[in-house]
Amino acid sequence: MTPAEALAHLREAEARDGRIDVERRRALLARLADSLLTHAEAIAAALDADYGGRSRLETLLADVLCAVDAARYSRRHLRSWAKPRRVAVPYPFWPTRAWEEPVPKGIIGIMAPWNYPVQLALVPVVDAIAAGNRVAVKPSEGTPRCAGLIAQVLEEALGPDIAATVQGGPDGAADFAAQPWDHLVFTGGTTTGRKVAEAAARNLVPVTLELGGKCPAVVLPGADLAQAARDILVGKAVNAGQTCVAPDTVLLLGHTPEAFVQACRATGIGLPETTLANDAQAERLDRLVEGARLERLAADGAGRHRAIALAFPEPDHALLREEVFGPILPVLALPDLPAAIRWITARPSPLAVYLFGATTVETSLVAESVRCGALIQDRAVEYAAFPALGFGGVGHSGSGRYKGSAGFVAFSIIRARVVHGKWSLSRIFDVPRKKFAPQLIERLVRKR
């Protein structure tokens, strides 16, 4: 099925069957969660094969359960989200009644990447279905076995008149982005995100872009260095650092690089459970670290199974400019918090900033000074698994929010409704106006 065919089929189903009511949406979300759990082990095996070594437990936690939790959370709260909301009417218009009601946008296109192919395809599906839409999903060609299972889950749980899956490579992805969807979701790199946004703009399609960026981990003087090192490495080890919200660069304030290296080695965290996803990813990382001193925290495994390495680059090195997206962790010592804030704000806004050992005053200073999608204290990465917490970036790290009520709103039209009474005070200004109307208007706009 081509993207155009998928869109045409879903438009036909929408015209024939009409809007999906709230109770049916709840049933669809329940079926989606059940189907994911039924296929959980098959998904883990497929991703292991696609990667050539993907941790079963990471797949079950970060891909399957994240999507299941999102479906269950939205199902529980959907009735309240979908209720119309009364809006105040100015007294000159009384007894007019006004309210806002969420209605579906229509057909939502979703483009998912290879790093969390199930979560990043199906959590937007959850939000779109909760809002009453139909969906077309373009899974990543980088994980073809998993893409086939995503198609199977969608067909079993939602059916072909609610969800369509479009397979294919880069040409198919470009065609997908160029279709006149009612909303388009893209998760991936910033460079590709620009192309997707440009293609969508030609059809005036609104977009949700979930991109990347350099998520700094700021270790402040008050941090317990041993605990901070453990928490940072736990976040970095997930999916071998191939995570958009992984700690990207460590900024040390009041701690020496040598002490941080020792604290990292003491954690025993060195070799991630998951390999690099493909040869292109391995070659990119090899090019990225050229010229930087590396401290590997363990021996590499076979093939693309890479250990976490701390990197100590020169100030102008590519590691400090480009998103790492792998098990390399640049470390930079800075004199104080203002210097760290200057370092962060000199770069494109990140998805997340992680603070370790921050006081209330330090946290407030960062919150007031730094633009980012999330400000997280004393852990890394796992906030992205909270189904009620809206997720998204800002600027180069993305636009728009999804998950929970934020996702419901993102994929809804908040439509205004008004019912006028037979008479209201405002009608004295109708034309042809009475003689006193101009004087009254002048009086109303006079500065008091």
Side-chain angles (χ1 to χ4, degrees), residues 139-300:
S140 172
E141 68 275 13
T143 48
R145 297 171 183 84
C146 187
L149 279 170
I150 289 170
Q152 185 177 346
V153 166
L154 290 173
E155 184 168 0
E156 288 178 2
L158 306 181
D161 291 341
I162 301 293
T165 307
V166 177
Q167 308 283 9
D171 290 343
D175 187 18
F176 193 96
Q179 298 302 312
W181 311 105
D182 297 304
H183 194 110
L184 179 62
V185 182
F186 170 81
T187 304
T190 302
T191 300
T192 305
R194 282 196 185 94
K195 296 176 182 177
V196 168
E198 289 170 1
R202 286 192 282 272
N203 290 311
L204 297 179
V205 174
V207 294
T208 297
L209 300 175
E210 300 301 345
L211 307 176
K214 297 188 72 63
C215 298
V218 184
V219 184
L220 288 121
D224 178 330
L225 192 59
Q227 188 62 49
R230 172 171 292 279
D231 289 331
I232 291 168
L233 291 179
V234 166
K236 191 66 168 178
V238 175
N239 204 31
Q242 299 166 120
T243 307
C244 58
V245 293
D248 181 280
T249 305
V250 176
L251 305 180
L252 294 175
L253 313 180
H255 304 277
T256 65
E258 294 75 18
F260 184 71
V261 171
Q262 292 177 3
C264 288
R265 292 195 180 284
T267 67
I269 302 168
L271 187 64
E273 296 176 339
T274 290
T275 67
L276 300 182
N278 50 58
D279 290 338
Q281 169 74 336
E283 291 165 5
R284 182 188 68 82
L285 287 171
D286 289 341
R287 290 193 301 270
L288 189 60
V289 300
E290 287 178 358
R293 180 172 67 87
L294 300 180
E295 290 272 357
R296 299 191 182 277
L297 298 182
D300 288 343

Side-chain angles (χ1 to χ4, degrees), residues 37-380:
L37 293 174
T38 298
H39 293 284
E41 292 296 342
I43 290 168
L47 267 179
D48 183 44
D50 283 337
Y51 269 60
R54 215 302 179 107
S55 164
R56 170 179 170 271
L57 293 180
E58 286 185 356
T59 296
L60 295 179
L61 287 170
D63 271 292
V64 175
L65 284 178
C66 274
V68 169
D69 287 348
R72 288 174 170 171
Y73 180 84
S74 291
R75 184 178 182 275
R76 285 198 304 272
H77 294 273
L78 181 51
R79 289 192 184 110
S80 64
W81 293 344
K83 287 180 180 177
R85 187 178 68 87
R86 288 291 297 269
V87 175
V89 175
Y91 77 88
F93 300 94
W94 291 356
T96 297
R97 292 179 294 120
W99 66 96
E100 294 175 337
E101 60 182 9
V103 297
K105 283 190 170 180
I107 314 299
I108 310 299
I110 298 167
M111 304 178 70
W114 52 259
N115 61 325
Y116 294 95
V118 174
Q119 180 200 148
L120 297 178
L122 297 189
V123 172
V125 166
V126 166
D127 293 342
I129 295 298
N133 302 281
R134 289 169 168 81
V135 295
V137 177
K138 168 63 180 72
S140 172
E141 68 275 13
T143 48
R145 297 171 183 84
C146 187
L149 279 170
I150 289 170
Q152 185 177 346
V153 166
L154 290 173
E155 184 168 0
E156 288 178 2
L158 306 181
D161 291 341
I162 301 293
T165 307
V166 177
Q167 308 283 9
D171 290 343
D175 187 18
F176 193 96
Q179 298 302 312
W181 311 105
D182 297 304
H183 194 110
L184 179 62
V185 182
F186 170 81
T187 304
T190 302
T191 300
T192 305
R194 282 196 185 94
K195 296 176 182 177
V196 168
E198 289 170 1
R202 286 192 282 272
N203 290 311
L204 297 179
V205 174
V207 294
T208 297
L209 300 175
E210 300 301 345
L211 307 176
K214 297 188 72 63
C215 298
V218 184
V219 184
L220 288 121
D224 178 330
L225 192 59
Q227 188 62 49
R230 172 171 292 279
D231 289 331
I232 291 168
L233 291 179
V234 166
K236 191 66 168 178
V238 175
N239 204 31
Q242 299 166 120
T243 307
C244 58
V245 293
D248 181 280
T249 305
V250 176
L251 305 180
L252 294 175
L253 313 180
H255 304 277
T256 65
E258 294 75 18
F260 184 71
V261 171
Q262 292 177 3
C264 288
R265 292 195 180 284
T267 67
I269 302 168
L271 187 64
E273 296 176 339
T274 290
T275 67
L276 300 182
N278 50 58
D279 290 338
Q281 169 74 336
E283 291 165 5
R284 182 188 68 82
L285 287 171
D286 289 341
R287 290 193 301 270
L288 189 60
V289 300
E290 287 178 358
R293 180 172 67 87
L294 300 180
E295 290 272 357
R296 299 191 182 277
L297 298 182
D300 288 343
R304 297 191 303 270
H305 199 180
R306 301 284 183 87
I308 297 173
L310 305 179
F312 300 89
E314 295 298 320
D316 61 346
H317 196 279
L319 276 169
L320 298 179
R321 298 193 308 272
E322 300 178 23
E323 182 181 7
V324 175
F325 210 71
I328 311 295
L329 190 59
V331 179
L332 188 63
L334 294 174
D336 51 29
L337 184 55
I341 289 172
R342 288 194 297 271
W343 191 93
I344 296 168
T345 56
R347 288 158 176 77
S349 302
L351 267 172
V353 172
Y354 300 113
L355 300 181
F356 295 88
T359 65
T360 301
V361 171
E362 289 167 336
T363 302
S364 296
L365 181 59
V366 174
E368 292 167 3
S369 306
V370 171
R371 280 192 297 271
C372 55
L375 183 60
I376 310 298
Q377 293 178 249
D378 298 322
R379 285 286 279 181

